[in-house]
């Protein structure tokens, strides 16, 4: 029989306001095996932990139940405290009476009853707990960064600076990401290329960093410290080593009518291309969808012209297998598709553009050479309307996002200001719901746009944009002056909401990392562990975790690197003892567990068994590699005979908990 | 057909290619058929007619533990169980010689009795018709009138996996929609459905015949026989214990059941146990796309596989309401 202590935490008023903590402690004190109970204001404080340790010593406790917040918060805290007092860590169970009880209930009576039931279930489990000891596993001292935008670049550089090897996997032919498409950066208005491209070069030159451009992560196996990743290097039909990046092929290729995605389709490129002059690696890529040679076998101009002999039409996708200790997700964002926003006439008029398209039009390396010209007729627009929150902050019923995209207020102010600066004869209107400019020197920046540059900021939304001849008639409401407006604009710029890159969802599945409903990766803790995923060894950098501007992205990227370095510095990691094991006498050898195991931790072997009739029989039985098993429990529920079980979460323990709840 | 099987079996035995042959043998009555392991001396007694209903594949689990090679006759439905067992590594393939044979549907003596056909002393099978010789004279019937429910819905066109084929490969269309009754049950209210199953399952005497015959139930130690499983004592804990037994069993064979219908065939209380399994099959088909357990040796079963576009729990919740 266990000697169990029950500790009920008030969590200040977080629990105590909705749950009668004294009643919970007393009720649980009557449970079989409970020899000590008490309630305390903050169990996680030093005083609270001391109470736990003293009770262990004074009452010779063999196990403890702490009724408090989520085990994600403080399970480790209480387990460590118990271990110091001489009780095995895994003899401590948490009953979550905060997130799963007090926070979600209003009625004190009901919440108290539920807290007692949750506590009772935990006690039932402790009765069947057994001391567990964790094993150790080595750490591969190399990191993988998925995504080569500014977030991935910064994280990779910082990790490499600490002396660890880093690989960057970028799906596009060049690193640089969205920042490479941007013209100027707020609030200082320095040019994006001037601060980004040196960093790209730094990455290329760093001996510790390898860039796998035009590549994608294909498969991920393993666990923290020991990931093994298969990277698909897509065929670019150009030998990366031989290509000098001279660009001759990109000038001579006869296929000229390919929409240039780097300029968001505002101009055209060739079928063989280098996205932009400062691309890293500066290597040409053949677009198989447009290349005449690859499609019909008749052309071969680039191959004839290439003095380096780098063109290889027969190149196929290849795979690289590599081991990593940590994986950083830096998959970034995209503006949402605006096809569904008919009211803004985005698909009807080429003069209704997104803010990112506006960046390209004003960029010196863009399709217009940096002169602000209308896409339709190449004329200077004299009246520009900016619409904010297109697809952001919606109520969730439409096709937009419920969240604020965070960066639009600032870049719209930047666009408005730069337009007025360069073309003072242009009238600029900005329609907004709220202007949100918190951040260092941000609000001053926006006020400068209004006060010094005379940008017309109008609170209200645009209802409709109607293309009429060369004009765009913008119907909008001014909420402050309470009147309807009709503006004959030449150009309308939509601040489209941003969303996570589409590659993020399948990647999250591969990494078993969790995501929110918007497909942003979730953090291990929104405040205290913002750059780690709840999946150990997976780290988050940049917009894959939530909308961010460049300064915030860079600081998060460096924070992420710090966490990765902290992991890679260690030689050994303490494993999780809550792993699966199979009862060989019951195992059928059916392979079901092997098939469902996401970590490849289960193998089969033929073993000799002595049967009851004293004969020997060879049977095929499952065996679990405890270093690879992550304790997810998929095998235990798939096993038809019940031979598979999980240490710390055994079938009988879970049954006991269910029974205690249903009692 | 029977003659052909006997000849081939004799050939295999005398050539030493196999040591034993698994087939069917008649008992005291013509309809009283049991699986039997034949050797050269008794191979003449091997029978194959409309009453040879047992699924032989399960017997391979035990038989392959012995020395030597055993030949087995597999009707199409048996061969699905055969592949499923092979997939689960439940027998040693090298010790088995699989012979695919055609099947035109089986007849259950209980069904005939219900039709008033008694005192059966012999049977003559035709393709379309069947002649039952009885103490009271011969009765000739259309096969489709008398074959068992499990054979009515049979889509068992061909054996998916075998060493040799004996006889012709027959094509067959199911006579009935196998999900008809499941759909009827789904349309009931929860109370009506509960009443239906209570009525059926309360007749259960826990003889374990369904479990013992089921080719998916081949665990080294069944959870219902294992005191440590936590289930063994769960079933009797309820006043309606049979419900727990059958539902747990249906869960255990979900995604592995080949719908061979043996469970209902052997039930001495006539409980339509196959309906529980069919409900799972129907749900698996609708959630993960058409799947037939035992159809393919390599294919991963939907419940053992994860695909990014798998249906979400939300798609399933509320289905049964």
């Amino acid at each position: 029989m266990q000697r169990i202590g029950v500790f009920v935490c008030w969590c200040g008023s977080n629990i105590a306001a909705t749950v009668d903590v004294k009643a919970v402690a007393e009720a649980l004190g009557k449970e079989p095996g409970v020899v000590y109970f008490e309630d305390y204001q903050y169990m996680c404080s030093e005083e609270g932990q001391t109470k736990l340790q003293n009770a262990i010593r004074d009452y010779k406790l063999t196990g403890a139940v702490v009724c408090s917040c989520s085990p994600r918060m403080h399970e480790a805290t209480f387990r460590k405290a118990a271990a110091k007092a001489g009780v095995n860590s895994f003899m401590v169970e948490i009953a979550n009476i905060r997130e799963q009880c007090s926070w979600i209930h209003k009625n004190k009576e009901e919440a108290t009853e539920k807290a007692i039931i949750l506590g009772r279930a935990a006690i039932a489990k402790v009765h069947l707990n057994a001391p567990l000891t964790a094993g150790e596993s080595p750490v591969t001292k190399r990191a993988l960064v998925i995504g080569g935008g500014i977030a991935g670049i910064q994280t990779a550089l910082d990790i490499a600076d600490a002396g660890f090897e880093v690989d960057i996997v970028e799906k596009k032919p060049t690193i640089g990401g969205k920042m490479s498409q941007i013209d100027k950066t707020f609030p200082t208005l320095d040019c994006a290329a001037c601060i980004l491209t040196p960093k790209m070069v730094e990455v290329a030159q760093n001996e510790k960093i390898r860039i796998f451009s035009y590549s994608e992560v294909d498969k991920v196996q393993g666990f923290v410290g020991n990931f093994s990743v298969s990277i698909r290097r897509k065929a670019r039909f150009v030998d990366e080593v031989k290509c000098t990046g001279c660009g001759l092929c990109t000038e001579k290729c006869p296929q000229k009518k390919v929409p240039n995605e780097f300029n968001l389709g505002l101009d055209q490129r060739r079928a063989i291309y280098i996205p932009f002059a400062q691309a890293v690696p500066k290597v040409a890529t053949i677009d198989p969808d447009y290349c005449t040679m690859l499609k019909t076998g008749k052309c071969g101009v680039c191959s004839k012209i290439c003095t380096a002999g780098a063109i290889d039409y027969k190149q196929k996708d290849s795979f690289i297998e590599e081991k990593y200790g940590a994986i950083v997700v830096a998959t970034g964002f995209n503006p949402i598709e605006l096809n569904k926003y008919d009211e803004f006439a985005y698909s009807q008029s080429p003069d209704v553009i997104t803010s990112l398209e506006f960046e390209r039009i004003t960029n010196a390396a863009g399709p217009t050479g940096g002169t602000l010209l209308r896409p339709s007729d190449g004329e200077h627009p004299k009246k520009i309307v900016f619409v904010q929150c297109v697809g952001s902050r919606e109520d969730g019923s439409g096709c937009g996002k419920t969240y604020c995209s965070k960066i639009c207020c600032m870049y719209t102010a930047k666009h408005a200001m730069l337009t007025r600066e360069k073309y003072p004869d242009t009238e600029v209107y900005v329609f907004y719901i709220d202007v949100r400019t918190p951040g260092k020197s941000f609000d001053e920046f926006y006020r400068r746009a209004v006060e010094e540059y005379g940008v017309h900021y109008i609170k209200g939304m645009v209802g409709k944009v109607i293309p009429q001849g060369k004009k765009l008639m913008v119907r909008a409401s001014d909420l402050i002056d309470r009147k309807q407006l009709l503006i004959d604009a030449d150009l309308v710029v939509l601040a489209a909401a941003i969303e996570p890159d589409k590659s993020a969802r399948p990647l999250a599945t591969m990494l078993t990392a969790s995501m929110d409903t918007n497909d942003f990766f979730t953090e291990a803790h929104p405040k205290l562990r913002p750059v780690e995923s709840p999946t150990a060894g997976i780290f988050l950098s940049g917009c894959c975790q939530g909308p961010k501007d460049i300064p915030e992205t860079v600081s998060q990227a460096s924070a992420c690197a710090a966490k990765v370095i902290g992991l890679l510095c260690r030689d050994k990691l303490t494993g999780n003892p809550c792993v699966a094991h199979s009862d060989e006498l019951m195992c059928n050898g059916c392979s079901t567990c092997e098939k469902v195991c996401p970590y490849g931790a289960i193998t089969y072997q033929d073993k000799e068994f002595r049967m009851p009739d004293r004969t020997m029989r060879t049977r095929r039985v499952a065996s679990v590699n405890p270093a690879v098993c992550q304790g997810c429990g998929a095998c235990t529920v798939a096993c038809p005979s019940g031979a598979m079980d999980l240490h710390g979460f055994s079938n009988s323990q879970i049954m006991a908990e269910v029974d205690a709840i249903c009692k | 057909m029977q003659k052909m099987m006997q000849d081939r079996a004799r050939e295999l035995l005398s050539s030493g290619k196999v040591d034993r042959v698994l087939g069917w043998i008649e008992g005291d009555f013509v309809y009283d058929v049991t699986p039997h392991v034949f050797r050269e001396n008794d191979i003449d007694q091997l029978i194959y007619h409309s009453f040879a209903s047992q699924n032989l594949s399960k017997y391979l689990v035990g038989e392959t533990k012995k020395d030597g090679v055993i030949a087995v006759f597999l009707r199409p439905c048996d061969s699905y169980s055969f592949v499923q067992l092979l997939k689960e590594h439940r027998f040693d393939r090298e010790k088995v010689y699989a012979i695919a044979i055609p099947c035109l549907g089986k007849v259950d003596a209980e069904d005939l009795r219900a039709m008033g056909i008694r005192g059966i002393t012999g049977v003559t099978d035709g393709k379309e018709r069947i002649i039952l010789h009885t103490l009271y004279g011969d009765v000739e019937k259309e096969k489709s009138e008398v074959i068992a429910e499990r054979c009515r819905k049979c889509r068992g066109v061909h054996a998916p996996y075998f060493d040799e084929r004996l006889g012709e490969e027959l094509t067959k269309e199911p006579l009935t929609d196998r999900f008809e009754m499941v759909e009827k049950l789904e349309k009931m209210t929860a109370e009506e459905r509960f009443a239906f199953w209570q009525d059926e399952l309360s007749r259960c005497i826990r003889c374990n015949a369904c479990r013992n015959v089921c080719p998916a139930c081949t665990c080294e130690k069944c959870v219902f026989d294992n005191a440590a499983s936590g289930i063994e004592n769960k079933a009797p804990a309820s006043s309606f214990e049979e419900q727990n037994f059958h539902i747990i069993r249906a869960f255990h064979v979900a995604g592995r059941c080949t719908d061979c219908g043996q469970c209902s065939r052997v039930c001495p209380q006539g409980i339509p146990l196959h309906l529980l399994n069919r409900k799972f099959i129907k749900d698996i088909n609708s959630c993960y796309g058409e799947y037939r357990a035992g159809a393919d040796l390599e294919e991963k079963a939907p419940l053992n596989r994860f695909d990014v576009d798998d249906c979400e729990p939300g798609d399933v919740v509320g289905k049964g309401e």
Side-chain angles (χ1 to χ4, degrees), chain A residues 554-577:
Chain A
V554 172
S555 20
Q556 200 211 18
S558 286
C560 177
K563 284 286 171 190
V564 172
I565 295 163
L567 168 65
L568 298 186
C569 276
R570 296 165 67 176
D571 291 325
K572 284 209 167 355
L573 292 175
T574 312
N576 166 23

Side-chain angles (χ1 to χ4, degrees), chain B residues 18 24 34 40 48 58 79-80 102-103 148 151 178 189 209 254 258 264 266 277 282 307 321:
Chain B
V18 305
W24 298 269
T34 29
E40 256 178 293
Y48 186 63
K58 185 176 183 176
S79 64
Y80 284 90
C103 172
C151 302
R178 61 177 178 155
T189 64
T258 59
S264 298
V266 298
N277 302 325
K282 183 167 177 282
D307 293 325
E321 282 163 22

Side-chain angles (χ1 to χ4, degrees), chain A residues 437-489:
Chain A
T437 51
K440 192 175 172 183
S441 315
F442 281 15
D443 202 55
E444 296 91 317
F445 183 86
Y446 148 66
R447 286 214 310 272
R448 225 163 73 219
V450 181
E451 289 159 14
E452 288 177 29
Y453 287 89
V455 176
H456 306 300
Y457 265 79
I458 300 168
K459 187 177 174 72
M461 260 317 260
V462 169
K464 202 162 176 57
V465 176
I466 309 142
Q468 218 168 70
K470 293 183 85 175
K471 290 285 182 189
L472 294 161
M473 304 309 287
V474 178
R475 264 182 213 285
S477 46
D478 182 332
L479 294 181
I480 292 170
D481 280 357
R482 295 193 180 183
K483 61 179 184 197
Q484 293 295 309
L485 300 175
L486 187 64
I487 300 169
D488 56 333

Side-chain angles (χ1 to χ4, degrees), chain A residues 103-121:
Chain A
W103 277 0
I104 49 168
H105 290 291
K106 286 200 173 80
N107 182 319
K108 195 162 183 175
E109 221 168 276
E110 282 173 9
T112 305
E113 190 190 345
K114 181 168 170 184
I116 293 169
I117 292 170
L118 291 171
R120 202 186 285 149

Side-chain angles (χ1 to χ4, degrees), chain B residues 149 179-204 240 242-243 246-247 264 269-279:
Chain B
E149 198 279 342
F179 295 126
E180 203 182 313
M181 189 58 199
V182 175
E183 273 158 19
K184 226 181 247 174
L185 286 169
E186 283 171 345
K187 284 194 188 109
M188 289 181 180
T189 64
E191 290 76 25
E192 284 167 354
R193 204 162 40 236
F194 187 79
F196 171 86
W197 280 115
Q198 192 158 36
D199 185 37
E200 293 288 350
L201 295 176
S202 57
R203 296 203 306 275
C204 172
F240 184 20
E242 301 79 14
Q243 160 190 264
H246 292 291
I247 289 171
S264 298
Q269 299 291 81
I271 303 169
L273 293 166
H274 62 278
L275 291 177
L276 286 173
N277 302 325
R278 267 191 210 163
K279 166 68 178 159

Side-chain angles (χ1 to χ4, degrees), chain B residues 59 104 121:
Chain B
Y59 296 87
L104 286 164
T121 55

Side-chain angles (χ1 to χ4, degrees), chain A residues 505-506 509 585-592 595-596 611 617 619-620 638-642 651-652 655 659, chain B residues 65 87-90 218-223 226 228-231 234 252 256 300-301 303-306 308:
Chain A
R505 169 69 58 179
T509 308
L585 290 176
M586 288 208 292
C587 176
N588 296 333
C590 71
S591 281
T592 305
K595 288 189 188 114
V596 298
M611 303 312 289
R617 209 177 100 200
R619 281 176 46 216
R620 184 188 140 88
C639 178
S641 67
N651 292 331
S652 56
M655 285 284 198
D659 281 348
Chain B
K65 289 192 179 119
K87 246 174 135 169
E88 295 173 11
H89 307 271
R90 298 302 291 136
T218 61
C219 282
E220 293 287 320
K221 189 164 197 178
C222 176
V223 289
N226 177 7
S229 72
I231 289 171
K234 276 273 144 40
H252 276 212
R256 310 192 295 127
K300 262 191 160 188
L303 299 183
N304 291 351
R305 191 179 66 203
F306 174 74
V308 180

